[in-house]
Amino acid sequence: MEDIKEIQRRIYPPMVEGEHDFGTVSDRISDLTLKKRTPIGWYIGFAIGFMLLQVLMMTVTYLLFTGIGIWGNNQPVGWAFPIINFVWWIGIGHAGTLISAILLLLNQKWRTSINRFAEAMTLFAVACAGMFPLLHTGRPWLAYWLFPIPNSMGMWPQFRSPLMWDVFAVSTYATVSLLFWYIGLIPDIATLRDRAKNKYFKFVYGLLSWGWRGSARHWHRYEIAYLLLAGLSTPLVLSVHSIVSLDFSVSQVPGWHATIFPPYFVAGAIFAGFAMVLILCIPLRAWYNLKDFITDTHLIYMGKVMLATGLIVVYGYAMEAYFGWYSASKYEVFMIQNRIWTGPYWWFYWLLIFCNGLSIQLLWFKRFRESAFWLFVISLIVSVGMWLERFVIIITSLHRDFLPSSWAMFAPTIWDWSMFLGTLGLFTTLIFLFVRFLPVISIFEVRTLLPEANVHGHQQDFEENVVEIETTRDPDRGGGA
Amino acid sequence: MDKKLFGFLAEFDTPTEMVDAATKVRDAGYTKTDAFSPFPLHEIDEALGIKRSILPYMVFAGGIVGLLSGLGLQYYVHVIDYPLNVGGRPFFSLPSFIPPMFELTILLAAFTAVFGMLFLNGLPQPYHPVFNVPRFALATREKFFLLIESDDPKFDYNETRNFMESLNPQEVFDVEP
């Protein structure tokens, strides 16, 4: 019997460690918001995030009064930091949807304890991403022109443009992510409502839970809705980054005009997103002592996903270079040479290869994959690497145009940096507020992971299965190896 | 007494106990019943005889409406209201209309899934008689509850109460309306 337990542990590592029942699971997670003293790490993190948020406020104010000339954008580098940062942020968001939707459809139980804050991460990352194109328009108060609203000018947006597709993709993505996240929260907010002692908390959580009472009929429709949302989000998330990549690849610019872009962008997005999930959850589980729910197994799985998607991204780099050569177009060949060794930004390219290509190779080794410290360090490097990737794609393609007379260098100004740092502040602030006021782990889904959640012990027949394997191996019954 | 009662609520410790009890409730012929659990239980649908929801069909319809409205919008804009010749390409350039059509399909289907679910569930509903039972707060934590409403045709105060006691619950509560 002990052996079977051991085998079971190895094949299906438990997703909840320690001794837990429905009650302790509910208490442990909801106490983070209701009872437990806020750890000092929270105050430090929130303070840093909030200070950076002020940098964003200042930058946006100055920007609105002065115009986008305060940035380093020029001709021919018209798409500079705003688009780099937009693509970087929106990519980060994608891991949240991957975890919550695609892994749900694939029946990966380990998604359960990380999906909630991965979804929150998606939402906040999309909010940060959205600021860049909005402010890059220069007159954000006219941004409603992007939507097909009948107006007195008799004008319509141009639906044949990928930029218009982007408006539809990103706004749909933000809306559906919000719905998915909030629907997932409703039963857990009901738990908070029922456990809150404080009158005001009780009232606010009561409002937000919409009177959820866990009725079987409600759960029945709830699960259908949740599954359908997962099924709808899956093609959605793939379409969003594909459309973002079409902003580039539909154009004629050498270095952008490549058919590999959509899958390569999607893989890069998931890669960057998993890095961000690891950056967030490693400190979170240490400060809040959540190692029972976000186990080492979770971190190892995420490390493996990072390695796999990272390798796809590296394949994308190889294919970009190959296509440049194989196209036999002198502009494409020149672009690749310029990007990799002859151009002024060559070292960005090699830094990118180091961050996204070399650093992840450590994940082949158990020692690094199983160490939270190394996963954290590699995730930080990957986040920098994915930012550099967008820098390389956007800046090196634009700064050497078709006409040498229009060539120019790009250098970011202090306002480019403050805008980027500011959105990091917005993201951090929102994440910390979320951790403080809402359940960071999906409580009702973690309850279903406990063995006692199975009626009549269904799905617990592992022991019987092992016995069955033993009997099929029996030579008398004709079973082979 | 009967007039002032919404129904009986029986508390159970484990999902298995509640599902077994629910099967007995259904076999005894009660129809105005409900179960409450801190997480979704698939077995309870069968035990209580809950029919499959029409929600998936609504979501499909929502998606179709989204698809057609995306097509209609772009057709109206680019063919009827403001035809614009871009490099001699056709006004009705379907391939480049596909991304917005796709996004609108997803958007309206997702809206239907969420708001359809809430609508069919009758949510938001801040007040419900079961909240009058103080122990019911545990239904979102660890306990499982079974409800028989008083307007069930088979409902009789003493008989139903005895029947519920016979299901081995932790306790049976009167639910005030």
Side-chain angles (χ1 to χ4, degrees), chain A residues 112-265:
Chain A
T112 298
S113 41
I114 51 174
N115 73 334
R116 173 65 47 73
F117 72 83
E119 283 166 29
M121 179 192 83
T122 296
L123 214 52
F124 305 150
V126 172
C128 292
M131 301 202 60
F132 286 100
L134 185 71
L135 293 169
H136 195 192
T137 60
R139 293 176 181 79
W141 50 92
L142 297 178
Y144 67 92
W145 286 6
L146 292 165
F147 291 96
I149 302 167
N151 53 62
S152 56
M153 298 175 290
M155 305 268 272
W156 290 104
Q158 174 57 273
F159 285 107
R160 297 185 191 96
S161 159
L163 297 180
M164 204 51 224
W165 304 345
D166 227 16
V167 171
F168 275 76
V170 173
S171 54
T172 301
Y173 186 50
T175 315
V176 174
S177 301
L178 177 69
L179 290 175
F180 202 21
W181 180 68
Y182 190 69
I183 283 297
L185 270 170
I186 287 178
D188 286 353
I189 296 179
T191 302
L192 291 182
R193 170 199 68 200
D194 290 341
R195 295 203 67 238
K197 297 274 184 292
N198 180 312
K199 187 168 74 175
Y200 301 105
F201 274 35
K202 237 182 159 58
F203 178 73
V204 172
Y205 288 133
L207 271 185
L208 292 175
S209 69
W210 292 11
W212 182 262
R213 53 184 190 274
S215 152
R217 284 182 179 78
H218 291 183
W219 277 122
H220 171 76
R221 296 188 191 104
Y222 179 91
E223 283 222 291
I224 292 176
Y226 201 71
L227 198 63
L228 286 173
L229 275 182
L232 292 167
S233 304
T234 301
L236 173 65
V237 67
L238 300 180
S239 82
V240 172
H241 227 60
S242 299
I243 289 177
V244 168
S245 80
L246 293 180
D247 290 346
F248 300 97
S249 58
V250 168
S251 77
Q252 308 272 333
V253 178
W256 287 6
H257 192 57
T259 47
I260 187 91
F261 263 35
Y264 153 58
F265 265 52

Side-chain angles (χ1 to χ4, degrees), chain A residues 295-305 369-371 375:
Chain A
T295 63
D296 290 339
T297 315
H298 285 99
L299 300 188
I300 293 167
Y301 284 4
M302 284 193 267
K304 286 179 180 170
V305 174
R369 214 164 54 215
E370 294 186 352
S371 138
L375 278 174

Side-chain angles (χ1 to χ4, degrees), chain B residues 46-59:
Chain B
E46 201 189 327
L48 281 183
I50 296 175
K51 286 197 206 75
R52 197 170 158 73
S53 169
I54 59 157
L55 188 60
Y57 301 100
M58 292 168 61
V59 172

Side-chain angles (χ1 to χ4, degrees), chain A residues 63-85:
Chain A
L63 183 80
L64 291 183
F65 276 98
T66 318
I68 58 167
I70 62 170
W71 287 335
N73 304 29
N74 57 24
Q75 288 302 336
V77 190
W79 279 15
F81 264 40
I83 306 299
I84 297 172
N85 297 334

Side-chain angles (χ1 to χ4, degrees), chain B:
Chain B
M1 183 72 205
D2 272 5
K3 291 274 172 236
K4 288 183 71 184
L5 198 70
F6 179 76
F8 290 122
L9 201 59
E11 178 189 325
F12 297 91
D13 263 350
T14 69
T16 308
E17 283 168 21
M18 184 181 69
V19 170
D20 288 344
T23 313
K24 284 181 197 152
V25 168
R26 189 193 174 190
D27 290 346
Y30 290 100
T31 47
K32 293 247 169 201
T33 54
D34 205 353
F36 303 91
S37 57
F39 55 85
L41 279 172
H42 301 138
E43 292 79 0
I44 197 77
D45 294 352
E46 201 189 327
L48 281 183
I50 296 175
K51 286 197 206 75
R52 197 170 158 73
S53 169
I54 59 157
L55 188 60
Y57 301 100
M58 292 168 61
V59 172
F60 181 73
I64 296 290
V65 170
L67 185 79
L68 294 179
S69 56
L71 179 66
L73 170 73
Q74 295 179 84
Y75 188 86
Y76 176 75
V77 166
H78 284 320
V79 180
I80 299 171
D81 194 47
Y82 204 131
L84 189 65
N85 189 332
V86 182
R89 288 175 187 82
F91 294 134
F92 181 60
S93 34
L94 184 62
S96 61
F97 293 169
I98 288 175
M101 279 160 67
F102 174 78
E103 301 300 334
L104 283 173
T105 309
I106 300 285
L107 184 69
L108 288 201
F111 271 132
T112 321
V114 171
F115 294 105
M117 182 271 283
L118 292 173
F119 172 76
L120 293 174
N121 281 351
L123 296 176
Q125 184 186 4
Y127 176 78
H128 191 272
V130 288
F131 289 125
N132 289 332
V133 177
R135 290 279 292 176
F136 188 74
L138 294 175
T140 56
R141 181 167 177 265
E142 55 177 341
K143 299 293 185 194
F144 302 81
F145 292 87
L146 206 56
L147 171 79
I148 299 182
E149 290 178 23
S150 61
D151 41 3
D152 190 289
K154 273 198 62 142
F155 188 87
D156 172 85
Y157 186 82
N158 291 320
E159 200 186 308
T160 305
R161 189 168 181 108
N162 287 339
F163 169 69
M164 280 197 114
E165 295 283 1
S166 75
L167 301 170
N168 285 325
Q170 298 298 308
E171 206 175 335
V172 175
F173 304 96
D174 288 357
V175 183
E176 317 251 316

